[in-house]
Amino acid sequence: MTIPKFVLADNTDYPDDIYVIHLEYPLFIINLSDDTIEFLEDLDESEEAELTEAMEKLIEEAGAFYDREMDRYDEE
């Protein structure tokens, strides 16, 4: 099975929230409605500087993924 880099998620308990889950390192969920991020694994403090730089790009990619998926839904 090929696992995608990002997947969409929602939850009826939080109907206004839009979640994108990043399935590669670092594993995290971003709520696009308020840009909060929850990491799904413990991160080593020595990695924080590298991750800070990488996270900016990953957040942009997550937003682009969501936009692409919504465009595809609109096409159907």
Side-chain angles (χ1 to χ4, degrees), residues 3-49:
I3 297 175
K5 185 173 184 174
F6 294 104
V7 294
L8 291 177
D10 64 1
N11 186 307
T12 57
D13 291 334
Y14 307 98
D16 296 330
D17 293 336
I18 302 164
Y19 302 100
V20 174
I21 303 170
H22 182 252
L23 296 172
E24 295 177 353
Y25 182 81
L27 295 170
F28 66 87
I29 298 174
I30 182 170
N31 182 343
L32 294 179
S33 65
D34 62 10
D35 290 336
T36 55
I37 296 173
E38 183 72 32
F39 288 94
L40 302 175
E41 59 191 336
D42 292 331
L43 302 175
D44 196 352
E45 285 183 27
S46 64
E47 299 171 318
E48 283 187 35

Side-chain angles (χ1 to χ4, degrees), residues 52-69:
T52 300
E53 188 175 309
M55 285 305 296
E56 188 174 320
K57 182 179 181 213
L58 289 172
I59 291 167
E60 288 176 19
E61 288 178 14
F65 166 76
Y66 173 77
D67 292 340
R68 186 194 77 193
E69 291 297 296

